[in-house]
Amino acid sequence: AGFTIMLCRPAYVWHKRRVDFRKFFRQVYVFGMSRITLKLLYPDSMKAVHVLPALFVVGCVALIVLGIFVSPWWLVPLGIYFAGIFIGALLATKSLKVALLALPAAAIQLGGYGMGFIRAWVSKILFRRGRDINQEVEIRRGK
């Protein structure tokens, strides 16, 4: 379109912080849903890494169900994962409060994105619900 891109080193960028976990969940949930929209608009943009949070959600649900109905030993991988998150945050920040907050933050980040991804994948790809992809392209591209 004739624009020029340049780096402006003195420019400040302020990232909006979510003030609570509920708002953070909503943000990452929408990011997960948007990934499917981006895949429909730009098919080559989907990478394996974008699917990992959805696999995390499916894996957690499977481990919890197995832990409840088969054996509590199925919950050990989740315990190891969250222990690793806690210990890593504690060592990195030397703050017990931050290490404790890292647990729900990690679960919300992966779980929220994964759930949004799964919801959009099921509705837009499996059942072809939502806006028509051509309508979506027009909206996204401003046409």
Side-chain angles (χ1 to χ4, degrees):
F3 293 102
T4 301
I5 297 174
M6 62 179 275
L7 174 64
C8 183
R9 291 195 187 275
Y12 289 96
V13 176
W14 299 97
H15 292 276
K16 183 175 181 178
R17 301 285 180 215
R18 302 297 169 225
V19 295
D20 61 38
F21 282 137
R22 197 170 105 246
K23 290 178 181 171
F24 180 54
F25 174 84
R26 176 76 180 139
Q27 176 187 11
V28 295
Y29 183 84
V30 169
F31 285 176
M33 289 177 49
S34 297
R35 176 51 54 193
I36 296 298
T37 301
L38 288 171
K39 181 227 181 298
L40 294 172
L41 293 171
Y42 309 100
D44 294 337
S45 69
M46 180 72 78
K47 307 291 183 231
V49 71
H50 297 124
V51 180
L52 293 177
L55 294 177
F56 172 81
V57 169
V58 171
C60 284
V61 169
L63 289 172
I64 291 169
V65 168
L66 289 168
I68 292 170
F69 295 108
V70 177
S71 168
W73 286 102
W74 285 100
L75 299 174
V76 170
L78 291 175
I80 292 170
Y81 172 75
F82 284 108
I85 294 289
F86 177 80
I87 291 167
L90 186 62
L91 292 175
T93 66
K94 311 286 190 271
S95 168
L96 182 61
K97 180 180 178 182
V98 171
L100 289 170
L101 289 172
L103 299 172
I108 289 168
Q109 184 173 17
L110 285 173
Y113 185 101
M115 286 188 279
F117 185 96
I118 291 167
R119 178 177 178 218
W121 184 78
V122 167
S123 67
K124 289 186 177 186
I125 295 188
L126 285 184
F127 295 113
R128 308 240 185 250
R129 291 191 182 146
R131 286 192 286 240
D132 175 61
I133 190 61
N134 295 320
Q135 181 185 11
E136 193 74 46
V137 169
E138 288 179 21
I139 291 168
R140 299 287 176 156
R141 294 188 179 158
K143 294 181 182 177

